[in-house]
Amino acid sequence: MRMIERLRNQGIGDEIVLSVMGSVPRHLFIEEALASRAYEDVALPINYGQTISSPWIVARMSELLRANGSLDKVLEIGTGCGYQTAILAQLARQVYSIERIGPLLTRTRIRLHKLQIRNIHLKHADGLRGLPEVSPFDGIIMTAVTTHIPNALLEQLAIGGRIVFPKGVQKQNLCVIERNVQGYIENVLEEVNFVPMLSGVIKS
Ligand code: SAH
């Protein structure tokens, strides 16, 4: 509850996002040794050199993705420990999430199964190709930083849909790309700090 109050004070205004975040036990997504820090507003290590995004980032990206109201199909690139995925599962009808590190995804699969979240579909692949067979998505969220969105992914966005992602190289900013009938509109927002988007998959 203190985490939710802090997020509200930090400017998160979407009460639905706040209530969903209040209902997902964040400590179950990180190692026991770090569990006491689960509700602090920090990114924490989750193995394989990756990090679980801070509560503020998860809340901010979720409210940006939801800006047009409820979501039908969402694609997440960079499943990691699955915390953002679990939040999205309550904000969208179906969530598809892609992770390139096989062993990390295996652990996340078990964790999400234990939590009995049924509307999540996990895939071990290079996420930058998206999931053309399931598209169009009304929301796409990327949890690793990249310099640009490949065309293959832009094409998988529904008209009226949006992509939320960290953009940059050294200096990174949250970025929202909206698709309308005329084309794509990009908005650059606050500065952030993410691990890089990498290509290819890691099997074991
Ligand atoms: N939302 C996650 C963030 C994990 S960090 C969490 O809070 O746990 C970013 C994740 O993106 C890492 O797990 C990394 O392996 C993954 N990633 C990086 N490049 C990727 C790509 N091209 N395709 C799929 N996943 C990728």
Side-chain angles (χ1 to χ4, degrees), residues 26 41-45 49-58 60-61 84 142-146 165-175 189-197:
R26 188 170 153 91
D41 200 27
V42 287
L44 295 167
Q50 307 305 317
T51 52
I52 176 172
S53 304
S54 72
W56 182 82
I57 279 288
V58 172
R60 182 72 180 127
M61 291 182 91
Q84 172 87 68
M142 300 189 8
T143 66
V145 68
T146 183
F165 71 108
K167 180 177 181 171
V169 190
Q170 297 290 359
K171 183 177 170 296
Q172 311 174 10
N173 290 80
L174 275 188
C175 184
L189 306 168
E190 53 268 60
E191 205 169 319
V192 288
N193 187 17
F194 279 80
V195 296
M197 183 70 64

Coordinates of all heavy atoms in Angstrom, one line a residue, residues 26 41-45 49-58 60-61 84 142-146 165-175 189-197:
R26 N 4.8 -8.3 -5.8 CA 6.1 -8.1 -6.5 C 7.2 -9.0 -6.0 O 8.1 -9.4 -6.7 CB 6.4 -6.6 -6.5 CG 7.6 -6.2 -7.3 CD 7.7 -4.7 -7.4 NE 9.0 -4.2 -7.6 CZ 9.5 -4.0 -8.8 NH1 8.8 -4.2 -9.9 NH2 10.8 -3.6 -8.9
D41 N 11.3 1.7 -4.7 CA 11.2 2.1 -6.1 C 12.5 2.0 -6.9 O 13.1 2.9 -7.3 CB 10.7 3.5 -6.2 CG 10.1 3.8 -7.6 OD1 9.7 2.8 -8.2 OD2 10.1 4.9 -8.1
V42 N 13.0 0.7 -7.0 CA 14.3 0.5 -7.6 C 14.2 -0.7 -8.6 O 13.4 -1.6 -8.4 CB 15.4 0.2 -6.6 CG1 15.8 1.5 -5.9 CG2 15.0 -0.9 -5.7
A43 N 15.1 -0.7 -9.6 CA 15.2 -1.9 -10.5 C 16.1 -2.8 -9.7 O 17.0 -2.4 -9.0 CB 15.8 -1.4 -11.8
L44 N 15.9 -4.1 -9.8 CA 16.7 -5.1 -9.1 C 17.2 -6.2 -10.1 O 16.5 -6.4 -11.1 CB 15.9 -5.7 -8.0 CG 15.4 -4.8 -6.8 CD1 14.4 -5.5 -6.0 CD2 16.6 -4.4 -6.0
P45 N 18.3 -6.8 -9.8 CA 18.8 -7.9 -10.7 C 17.9 -9.1 -10.6 O 17.4 -9.5 -9.6 CB 20.2 -8.2 -10.1 CG 20.3 -7.7 -8.7 CD 19.3 -6.6 -8.7
G49 N 22.1 -11.1 -16.1 CA 22.5 -9.7 -16.4 C 21.3 -8.8 -16.7 O 21.5 -7.7 -17.1
Q50 N 20.1 -9.3 -16.4 CA 18.9 -8.5 -16.6 C 18.4 -7.9 -15.3 O 18.8 -8.2 -14.2 CB 17.8 -9.3 -17.3 CG 18.3 -10.0 -18.6 CD 18.9 -9.1 -19.6 OE1 18.4 -8.0 -19.8 NE2 20.1 -9.4 -20.1
T51 N 17.4 -7.0 -15.4 CA 16.8 -6.4 -14.2 C 15.3 -6.3 -14.3 O 14.7 -6.3 -15.4 CB 17.3 -4.9 -14.1 OG1 17.1 -4.2 -15.3 CG2 18.8 -4.8 -13.7
I52 N 14.7 -6.4 -13.2 CA 13.2 -6.2 -13.1 C 13.0 -4.6 -13.0 O 13.7 -4.0 -12.3 CB 12.6 -6.8 -11.9 CG1 11.1 -6.5 -11.7 CG2 13.3 -6.5 -10.6 CD1 10.3 -7.3 -10.7
S53 N 12.2 -4.1 -13.9 CA 12.0 -2.7 -13.9 C 11.4 -2.2 -12.6 O 10.7 -2.9 -11.9 CB 11.0 -2.3 -15.0 OG 11.5 -2.8 -16.3
S54 N 11.7 -0.9 -12.2 CA 11.2 -0.4 -11.0 C 9.7 -0.2 -11.0 O 9.1 -0.1 -12.1 CB 11.8 1.0 -10.8 OG 11.2 1.9 -11.7
P55 N 9.0 -0.2 -9.9 CA 7.5 -0.1 -9.9 C 7.1 1.2 -10.6 O 6.1 1.1 -11.4 CB 7.2 0.1 -8.4 CG 8.3 -0.7 -7.7 CD 9.5 -0.4 -8.5
W56 N 7.8 2.3 -10.5 CA 7.4 3.5 -11.2 C 7.4 3.3 -12.7 O 6.5 3.7 -13.4 CB 8.3 4.7 -10.8 CG 7.8 6.0 -11.5 CD1 6.8 6.8 -11.1 CD2 8.3 6.5 -12.8 NE1 6.6 7.8 -12.0 CE2 7.5 7.6 -13.0 CE3 9.3 6.1 -13.7 CZ2 7.7 8.4 -14.2 CZ3 9.5 6.9 -14.8 CH2 8.7 8.0 -15.1
I57 N 8.4 2.7 -13.2 CA 8.5 2.4 -14.7 C 7.4 1.5 -15.2 O 6.7 1.8 -16.2 CB 9.9 1.8 -15.1 CG1 11.0 2.8 -15.1 CG2 9.8 1.0 -16.4 CD1 10.9 3.7 -16.4
V58 N 7.1 0.5 -14.4 CA 6.0 -0.4 -14.8 C 4.7 0.3 -14.8 O 3.9 0.2 -15.7 CB 6.0 -1.6 -13.8 CG1 4.8 -2.5 -14.1 CG2 7.3 -2.5 -14.0
R60 N 4.2 3.6 -15.0 CA 4.2 4.7 -16.1 C 4.0 4.1 -17.5 O 3.2 4.6 -18.2 CB 5.6 5.4 -16.0 CG 5.7 6.6 -17.0 CD 4.8 7.7 -16.5 NE 5.0 8.8 -17.5 CZ 3.9 9.4 -18.1 NH1 2.7 9.1 -17.8 NH2 4.2 10.4 -18.9
M61 N 4.7 3.0 -17.8 CA 4.5 2.4 -19.1 C 3.1 1.8 -19.3 O 2.5 1.9 -20.3 CB 5.6 1.3 -19.4 CG 7.0 1.9 -19.5 SD 8.3 0.7 -19.9 CE 8.3 0.7 -21.7
Q84 N 5.9 -7.2 -15.2 CA 5.1 -6.3 -16.1 C 4.1 -7.1 -16.8 O 2.9 -6.7 -17.0 CB 6.1 -5.6 -17.1 CG 5.4 -4.8 -18.2 CD 5.0 -3.4 -17.8 OE1 5.9 -2.5 -17.6 NE2 3.7 -3.1 -17.6
M142 N 7.9 -2.4 -25.0 CA 9.2 -3.0 -25.0 C 9.9 -2.6 -23.7 O 9.9 -1.5 -23.4 CB 10.0 -2.5 -26.2 CG 9.2 -2.8 -27.5 SD 10.0 -2.5 -29.0 CE 11.6 -2.1 -28.7
T143 N 10.5 -3.6 -23.1 CA 11.1 -3.4 -21.8 C 12.7 -3.4 -21.9 O 13.3 -3.6 -20.9 CB 10.6 -4.3 -20.7 OG1 11.0 -5.7 -21.0 CG2 9.1 -4.3 -20.7
A144 N 13.2 -3.2 -23.1 CA 14.7 -3.0 -23.3 C 14.8 -1.9 -24.3 O 14.0 -1.7 -25.1 CB 15.3 -4.3 -23.7
V145 N 16.0 -1.2 -24.2 CA 16.1 0.1 -25.0 C 16.6 -0.2 -26.4 O 17.4 -1.1 -26.6 CB 17.0 1.1 -24.3 CG1 18.5 0.6 -24.2 CG2 17.0 2.5 -24.9
T146 N 16.1 0.6 -27.3 CA 16.5 0.4 -28.7 C 16.5 1.8 -29.4 O 15.9 2.8 -28.8 CB 15.5 -0.5 -29.4 OG1 15.9 -0.7 -30.8 CG2 14.1 0.0 -29.5
F165 N 8.0 2.5 -25.5 CA 9.3 1.9 -25.4 C 10.4 2.9 -25.0 O 10.2 4.1 -25.2 CB 9.7 1.2 -26.7 CG 10.0 2.2 -27.8 CD1 11.3 2.4 -28.3 CD2 9.0 2.9 -28.4 CE1 11.6 3.3 -29.3 CE2 9.2 3.8 -29.4 CZ 10.5 4.0 -29.9
P166 N 11.5 2.4 -24.4 CA 12.6 3.3 -24.1 C 13.4 3.4 -25.4 O 13.8 2.5 -26.0 CB 13.4 2.6 -23.0 CG 13.0 1.1 -23.2 CD 11.7 1.0 -23.9
K167 N 13.7 4.7 -25.7 CA 14.4 5.0 -27.0 C 15.8 5.7 -26.7 O 15.8 6.6 -25.8 CB 13.6 5.9 -27.9 CG 14.2 6.3 -29.2 CD 13.2 7.1 -30.0 CE 13.9 7.4 -31.3 NZ 13.0 8.0 -32.3
G168 N 16.8 5.3 -27.4 CA 18.1 6.0 -27.2 C 19.3 5.1 -27.3 O 19.2 3.9 -27.6
V169 N 20.4 5.7 -26.9 CA 21.7 5.0 -26.8 C 22.3 5.3 -25.4 O 22.0 4.5 -24.5 CB 22.7 5.5 -27.9 CG1 23.9 4.5 -28.0 CG2 22.0 5.5 -29.3
Q170 N 23.0 6.4 -25.3 CA 23.5 6.7 -24.0 C 22.4 7.3 -23.1 O 22.0 6.8 -22.1 CB 24.6 7.8 -24.1 CG 25.9 7.3 -24.8 CD 26.6 6.2 -24.0 OE1 26.3 5.9 -22.9 NE2 27.7 5.7 -24.6
K171 N 21.8 8.4 -23.7 CA 20.6 9.0 -23.0 C 19.4 8.4 -23.6 O 19.2 8.2 -24.8 CB 20.7 10.5 -23.4 CG 19.6 11.3 -22.7 CD 19.8 12.8 -23.1 CE 18.6 13.7 -22.6 NZ 17.4 13.3 -23.3
Q172 N 18.5 7.9 -22.7 CA 17.3 7.2 -23.1 C 16.1 7.9 -22.6 O 16.1 8.5 -21.5 CB 17.2 5.8 -22.4 CG 18.5 5.0 -22.6 CD 18.3 3.7 -21.8 OE1 17.3 3.3 -21.3 NE2 19.4 2.9 -21.7
N173 N 15.0 7.9 -23.4 CA 13.7 8.5 -23.0 C 12.6 7.5 -23.3 O 12.7 6.8 -24.3 CB 13.5 9.8 -23.8 CG 14.4 10.9 -23.4 OD1 15.6 10.9 -23.9 ND2 14.0 11.8 -22.6
L174 N 11.6 7.6 -22.5 CA 10.4 6.9 -22.8 C 9.8 7.5 -24.1 O 9.8 8.7 -24.3 CB 9.3 7.0 -21.7 CG 9.4 6.0 -20.6 CD1 8.2 6.1 -19.7 CD2 9.6 4.5 -21.1
C175 N 9.2 6.7 -25.0 CA 8.8 7.2 -26.2 C 7.4 6.5 -26.5 O 7.3 5.3 -26.3 CB 9.8 6.8 -27.3 SG 9.5 7.4 -28.9
L189 N 9.2 11.4 -24.1 CA 8.8 11.8 -22.8 C 10.0 11.7 -21.8 O 11.1 12.0 -22.3 CB 7.7 10.9 -22.3 CG 6.4 10.8 -23.2 CD1 5.5 9.7 -22.8 CD2 5.7 12.1 -23.2
E190 N 9.8 11.4 -20.6 CA 10.9 11.5 -19.6 C 12.1 10.6 -19.8 O 12.0 9.5 -20.4 CB 10.3 11.3 -18.2 CG 9.5 10.0 -18.0 CD 8.0 10.2 -18.2 OE1 7.6 10.6 -19.3 OE2 7.2 10.0 -17.3
E191 N 13.2 11.0 -19.2 CA 14.4 10.2 -19.3 C 14.3 8.9 -18.4 O 13.8 9.0 -17.3 CB 15.6 11.1 -18.8 CG 16.9 10.6 -19.4 CD 18.0 11.6 -19.2 OE1 17.8 12.8 -19.3 OE2 19.1 11.1 -18.9
V192 N 14.9 7.8 -19.0 CA 14.8 6.5 -18.2 C 16.1 5.8 -18.4 O 17.0 6.3 -19.0 CB 13.6 5.7 -18.8 CG1 12.3 6.2 -18.4 CG2 13.7 5.5 -20.3
N193 N 16.2 4.6 -17.8 CA 17.4 3.8 -17.9 C 17.1 2.3 -18.0 O 16.7 1.7 -17.0 CB 18.3 4.1 -16.6 CG 19.6 3.5 -16.7 OD1 20.1 3.1 -17.8 ND2 20.3 3.4 -15.5
F194 N 17.3 1.7 -19.2 CA 17.0 0.3 -19.4 C 18.2 -0.5 -19.9 O 19.1 0.1 -20.4 CB 15.9 0.2 -20.5 CG 14.5 0.4 -20.0 CD1 14.0 1.7 -19.8 CD2 13.6 -0.6 -19.7 CE1 12.7 2.0 -19.4 CE2 12.3 -0.4 -19.3 CZ 11.9 0.9 -19.1
V195 N 18.1 -1.8 -19.8 CA 19.1 -2.7 -20.4 C 18.9 -2.7 -21.9 O 17.7 -2.4 -22.3 CB 19.1 -4.1 -19.8 CG1 19.5 -4.1 -18.4 CG2 17.8 -4.8 -20.0
P196 N 19.9 -3.0 -22.7 CA 19.7 -2.9 -24.2 C 18.9 -4.1 -24.8 O 18.9 -5.2 -24.3 CB 21.1 -3.0 -24.7 CG 21.9 -3.6 -23.7 CD 21.3 -3.3 -22.3
M197 N 18.2 -3.8 -25.8 CA 17.5 -4.8 -26.7 C 18.6 -5.4 -27.5 O 19.4 -4.7 -28.1 CB 16.5 -4.0 -27.6 CG 15.7 -4.8 -28.5 SD 14.4 -5.8 -27.7 CE 13.4 -4.6 -27.0

